[in-house]
Amino acid sequence: MLSKLTTSAQTRQWPGHIPVEYVYTAGIAGEAFLRALKDRGMLLTSQCPQCQTVYLPARLYCEQCFEETKQYEEIAPKGWVHTYTVAHVDIDGEALAVPQIYAFIRFGGTNGGLIHRLGQTQPHQVSIGMEVEALLLPGKERTGSINDITCFQPTK
Amino acid sequence: MTVNIKQWPGTALATRDLEQGHVLTVKYKPRAEYAWDAGVAIARYLEELKAGRLIARSCKQCDRILIPPRMFCEECFRPTDSWVYVEDTGTVNTFSICHVRWDVVRLDQPQLPAVIHVDGASPGMGILHLLGEVAPEEVYIGMKVKAVWEEASRRQGSITDIRHWKPWKEE
Amino acid sequence: MAKVAVVGAGMTRFVRRAQETGRELSWQAAKMALDAAGLRLKDVDAVVIGSAPDAFDGVHMKGEYLADGSGGWCKPTLRCYVGGGTGVFAPIQAWYHIASGRFDTVLVVCEEKMSSCHPHPQGAFLTIFDHTTERALGPNLLWIFALEMNRYMTVHGITKREIAEVAVKNKRNALDHPCAQLGANLTVDDVLASEELAWPVNRLDVSPASDGAAAVVMCSEHVAKRTSPQPVWLEGVGWHLDTAYWTNRDLYYPQYLEYAARMAYDMAGIKEPRKEIHIVEPYDPFDYKELHHLEGLLLCKRGEAARLTVDGVTQRDGDLPVCPSGGLLGVGNPIAAAGLMKVCELFWQLRGEAGKRQVPGMPRRGLAQAWGDLMQVGTVVIMGI
Ligand SMILES: [Zn+2]
Ligand SMILES: [Zn+2]
């Protein structure tokens, strides 16, 4: 029905973009988490007073009980690989010079965990359950970002 | 009950809290570029603009001549029927005198956006465009206007092939 | 039709820039609403989230992102979005969740965090214009409001001075709102003397960009009667959408809103809205919009709303109190949250809990309304006790 009308229509495209950029705050609990990382190289957790879930990173509230979490505690950035992947291409699909290992890392006594890079190791050496620890930037170079951790590496 | 709430939640920050790093922030600029298809009706509309003409579509069920042109009538929910050339003159239905860009940066010269009802289309059929060759204080609703076309060699098949609309007196 | 009630309301302060993340704001408002209702998250059967474009917060799939802070953990959760109309659309979604009989208790949470978006949240809105026939002209969101305001003023012969009375009233009302961002004692001359952005719109004619969240708890009749000392009933809901060919409409009158209002009045059995509605919270992102909407809501004749305002009829102690909260112009405009703030206001007003903002005379029925998309959607709820 419409097809006969398209004969005179050239294919036309109109280019454009959406002119925005973002400045995100870390939030109340996120700010405390990043400060602990920056200032002390530690990971901040918070615990729900009702169901005892220990959130890592720390959260303001328990999503299950809707209570405000209390009991903020810092733990050393040592955990184990819960799962991992090896990336061979970048965001545009171009081959990476060196494959990058990304892992979900969990920590004893907590729920949750962190997604981060794995370094100082090779893809074939990584295994689920492997113990890892954070390789931190020197204190002066930290900015209060998740990238204050350069990567996680096998525990020495 | 609400009068008993002493401290309502929400923590206000000042601009300096961000600028001076009192709170931690993450910056991100999305990489999202688009190439939007003009579609069937608007592709023809653009082609005709390049030729220095305005074209509309007619719907014979509601007896309307529609501009911008569209391949279906949203009122009758059926395909429109035929192409109809309309005039490059019209009437200002409403206008503004805009002093700022979208990011609220002041402009040197105000822009005069307007909805222009196009002669030859059904009553109420307007398009968005800009007015020119007129002092802002002289514009009024109901003013007759005529399209000022870009030189033929410079037209690209774009709504900007009409530079703007200027005041016009019917002869 | 099954009866549905609002049994609790909560909100955060509306601020230009909040430290909280969007999900933290959501939790603060939702928790307050549940506490007010005397309910816990385990009592909630389903969650409705309202939030405007993802591009404001800069979080794609904002509904999913906000879900945990909105109580959506392991629950049936829905996010709705009709631009600025979202905040009043969200409780309508909850209404049919409950009216269907499938759910008894629904938590409704609306959030917006516009401060993330730089250099200006308008940037996220530019694609609302047609990419080919309009964006090439370099449009600016203010254009459509300025064009509509001019058309409205010119058709009815209304002045900027009359319209500025709305901004003065709402910002003054907001002085009594503990969550307000822009409460102020201003004069009409202050509004007229503020920076001209896009004639006829001056800076003080416009509501600010804001961060904030609001929430309500809604229940079926049997749960409301069991748990709430004073349920506020949703007596009518209505919504309507006009064409996105906005240059083909006559902007002087919001026809879509009249249809939405008629739908809500019909459901509520209201024959004479002007007599039967005691408080109105129409959507007021711009001062002229309050007037435009009062007309679309059939609460006065076309072109008459400015007169009512100048005569003081719409003051908190007037015959038809309009935006006793302080509205978007005074309380602030975190888009979806601002709409739901109006529903919260009716809840507090009808229960006599509005404190310094309390409308005198024990109002028994109110109407909240929001507006959005490409100036084409009207959403309406009528609440009563
Ligand atoms: Zn818990
Ligand atoms: Zn038709």
Side-chain angles (χ1 to χ4, degrees):
Chain A
M1 181 164 58
L2 293 177
S3 60
K4 67 175 190 273
L5 300 167
T6 63
T7 49
S8 67
Q10 294 173 314
T11 305
R12 279 299 307 267
Q13 286 194 329
W14 208 263
H17 72 289
I18 302 177
V20 288
E21 46 190 279
Y22 296 97
V23 179
Y24 305 102
T25 59
I28 303 298
E31 177 90 14
F33 176 81
L34 292 176
R35 293 278 175 200
L37 183 60
K38 176 175 186 279
D39 297 341
R40 293 178 294 282
M42 298 289 274
L43 301 180
L44 186 72
T45 66
S46 67
Q47 187 170 21
C48 172
Q50 193 161 318
C51 69
Q52 314 303 325
T53 299
V54 176
Y55 287 98
L56 187 153
R59 289 195 212 173
L60 182 62
Y61 55 88
C62 174
E63 65 184 12
Q64 302 167 58
C65 312
F66 239 41
E67 295 299 317
E68 183 168 3
T69 56
K70 308 277 179 192
Q71 279 179 279
Y72 281 74
E73 271 180 37
E74 293 180 5
I75 63 165
K78 289 185 182 188
W80 66 90
V81 173
H82 180 70
T83 185
Y84 71 99
T85 182
V86 182
H88 297 277
V89 294
D90 68 13
I91 196 169
D92 297 314
E94 301 293 326
L96 290 168
V98 180
Q100 180 78 59
I101 313 165
Y102 293 98
F104 179 46
I105 298 153
R106 301 195 67 156
F107 302 86
T110 74
N111 301 83
L114 294 177
I115 298 283
H116 220 295
R117 295 175 288 267
L118 285 190
Q120 315 290 334
T121 183
Q122 297 298 321
H124 68 271
Q125 295 171 327
V126 179
S127 60
I128 286 177
M130 186 170 87
E131 294 192 350
V132 291
E133 62 186 6
L135 179 61
L136 288 153
L137 287 174
K140 285 194 299 270
E141 291 176 29
R142 292 182 209 151
T143 59
S145 152
I146 195 65
N147 285 319
D148 289 351
I149 299 172
T150 308
C151 62
F152 280 80
Q153 60 185 358
T155 305
K156 295 205 173 80
Chain B
M1 181 223 61
T2 60
V3 290
N4 298 327
I5 297 172
K6 295 283 175 283
Q7 184 67 44
W8 292 70
T11 309
L13 298 177
T15 307
R16 66 174 179 281
D17 293 326
L18 300 193
E19 289 170 355
Q20 297 173 4
H22 298 156
V23 294
L24 298 169
T25 54
V26 173
K27 292 191 172 65
Y28 172 65
K29 184 165 185 168
R31 275 176 43 199
E33 305 232 333
Y34 299 89
W36 290 289
D37 287 318
V40 177
I42 297 301
R44 174 73 188 270
Y45 186 57
L46 297 179
E47 207 180 301
E48 295 291 346
L49 281 164
K50 195 171 183 182
R53 294 184 295 243
L54 279 170
I55 200 162
R57 286 286 289 179
S58 72
C59 171
K60 59 188 179 197
Q61 186 163 314
C62 61
D63 201 24
R64 290 193 305 164
I65 296 173
L66 305 155
I67 189 167
R70 59 211 74 165
M71 299 322 290
F72 60 91
C73 173
E74 75 276 15
E75 280 190 28
C76 308
F77 220 52
R78 59 183 288 283
T80 48
D81 299 291
S82 54
W83 293 100
V84 185
Y85 287 109
V86 292
E87 305 297 320
D88 68 349
T89 56
T91 309
V92 173
N93 171 259
T94 184
F95 69 97
S96 170
I97 305 164
C98 187
H99 302 282
V100 292
R101 224 166 50 180
W102 64 270
D103 50 1
V104 205
V105 171
R106 295 291 291 182
L107 297 166
D108 294 335
Q109 290 292 322
Q111 288 177 300
L112 300 173
V115 175
I116 297 159
H117 283 183
V118 179
D119 291 339
S122 291
M125 287 289 129
I127 62 169
L128 176 69
H129 217 288
L130 296 161
L131 304 176
E133 299 177 47
V134 61
E137 59 276 15
E138 283 165 14
V139 181
Y140 59 95
I141 287 178
M143 185 170 83
K144 292 295 294 182
V145 289
K146 183 172 174 62
V148 177
W149 293 89
E150 199 57 75
E151 283 167 43
S153 62
R154 298 180 60 183
R155 288 184 212 139
Q156 302 169 341
S158 158
I159 191 67
T160 54
D161 289 345
I162 295 174
R163 272 189 228 151
H164 53 250
W165 299 63
K166 67 173 183 186
W168 172 72
K169 284 213 167 49
E170 247 165 311
E171 273 142 37
Chain C
M1 200 140 20
K3 286 180 78 176
V4 176
V6 179
V7 296
M11 67 184 286
T12 67
R13 294 198 289 146
F14 287 180
V15 296
R16 174 66 189 89
R17 195 175 278 102
Q19 181 171 3
E20 284 84 352
T21 60
R23 63 219 297 193
E24 288 176 341
L25 290 169
S26 297
W27 172 75
Q28 289 172 336
K31 175 76 172 154
M32 186 188 280
L34 280 173
D35 287 349
L39 296 173
R40 316 244 327 250
L41 187 60
K42 65 176 175 50
D43 302 316
V44 171
D45 302 321
V47 170
V48 172
I49 297 169
S51 203
D54 292 355
F56 275 160
D57 289 45
V59 176
H60 190 52
M61 311 220 312
K62 226 199 290 187
E64 288 73 359
Y65 165 74
L66 295 172
D68 62 288
S70 305
W73 183 78
C74 292
K75 290 191 194 299
T77 299
L78 169 148
R79 180 255 184 121
C80 67
Y81 170 44
V82 283
T86 303
V88 174
F89 199 50
I92 296 175
Q93 307 294 314
W95 170 79
Y96 51 73
H97 271 67
I98 297 165
S100 72
R102 187 65 185 80
F103 301 97
D104 278 325
T105 305
V106 178
L107 178 59
V108 182
V109 186
C110 287
E111 175 273 0
E112 221 70 59
K113 187 164 183 188
M114 298 164 77
S115 67
S116 306
C117 194
H118 290 244
H120 197 285
Q122 263 207 51
F125 240 124
L126 292 176
T127 50
I128 197 167
F129 290 99
D130 183 275
H131 43 72
T132 308
T133 61
E134 293 172 349
R135 283 195 77 193
L137 298 166
N140 159 344
L141 196 62
L142 279 168
W143 286 13
I144 49 178
F145 306 116
L147 293 167
E148 186 175 76
M149 179 169 169
N150 185 14
R151 183 80 193 149
Y152 173 66
M153 285 170 59
T154 305
V155 167
H156 296 303
I158 296 168
T159 64
K160 273 168 61 72
R161 178 164 283 277
E162 291 169 312
I163 290 173
E165 295 272 6
V166 174
V168 171
K169 168 179 69 75
N170 290 4
K171 287 174 195 291
R172 190 190 299 127
N173 283 351
L175 285 170
D176 295 328
H177 200 303
C179 299
Q181 180 181 350
L182 277 188
N185 253 318
L186 298 175
T187 64
V188 165
D189 288 320
D190 292 332
V191 178
L192 296 177
S194 63
E195 181 189 5
E196 184 171 287
L197 298 174
W199 184 88
V201 175
N202 293 38
R203 187 171 289 278
L204 289 175
D205 293 313
V206 193
S207 58
S210 315
D211 292 353
V216 294
V217 183
M218 291 169 54
C219 286
S220 61
E221 183 175 14
H222 71 93
V223 173
K225 286 192 167 156
R226 179 162 50 79
T227 62
S228 177
Q230 180 55 275
V232 177
W233 303 100
L234 243 72
E235 298 183 345
V237 299
W239 66 101
H240 197 94
L241 187 73
D242 205 335
T243 174
Y245 286 105
W246 63 279
T247 57
N248 292 172
R249 291 193 257 129
D250 197 332
L251 302 174
Y252 94 99
Y253 184 71
Q255 186 64 52
Y256 49 89
L257 178 57
E258 180 184 326
Y259 293 140
R262 286 187 185 281
M263 178 178 166
Y265 293 145
D266 179 57
M267 179 176 154
I270 290 175
K271 302 275 184 294
E272 293 183 90
R274 178 74 170 77
K275 288 189 186 144
E276 296 175 68
I277 302 285
H278 308 142
I279 308 181
V280 199
E281 280 282 344
Y283 204 60
D284 61 323
F286 291 73
D287 44 13
Y288 81 95
K289 286 309 295 186
E290 174 168 312
L291 306 177
H292 208 229
H293 289 149
L294 286 175
E295 294 172 16
L297 289 166
L298 308 172
L299 291 167
C300 62
K301 294 200 186 78
R302 297 186 191 189
E304 196 187 64
R307 191 74 251 148
L308 292 184
T309 308
V310 173
D311 291 347
V313 174
T314 60
Q315 294 287 343
R316 214 181 260 150
D317 57 359
D319 193 43
L320 182 68
V322 179
C323 287
S325 65
L328 280 55
L329 288 162
V331 186
N333 188 12
I335 311 291
L340 196 61
M341 174 275 284
K342 290 176 170 290
V343 174
C344 295
E345 182 70 10
L346 292 185
F347 176 78
W348 290 320
Q349 289 283 356
L350 296 174
R351 293 191 4 151
E353 296 176 351
K356 285 197 278 182
R357 302 190 307 290
Q358 186 63 48
V359 165
M362 296 176 52
R364 300 187 59 79
R365 190 187 264 147
L367 181 152
Q369 173 255 329
W371 161 83
D373 286 346
L374 192 48
M375 335 197 280
Q376 70 192 119
V377 72
T379 51
V380 176
V381 302
I382 296 167
M383 291 160 63
I385 53 169

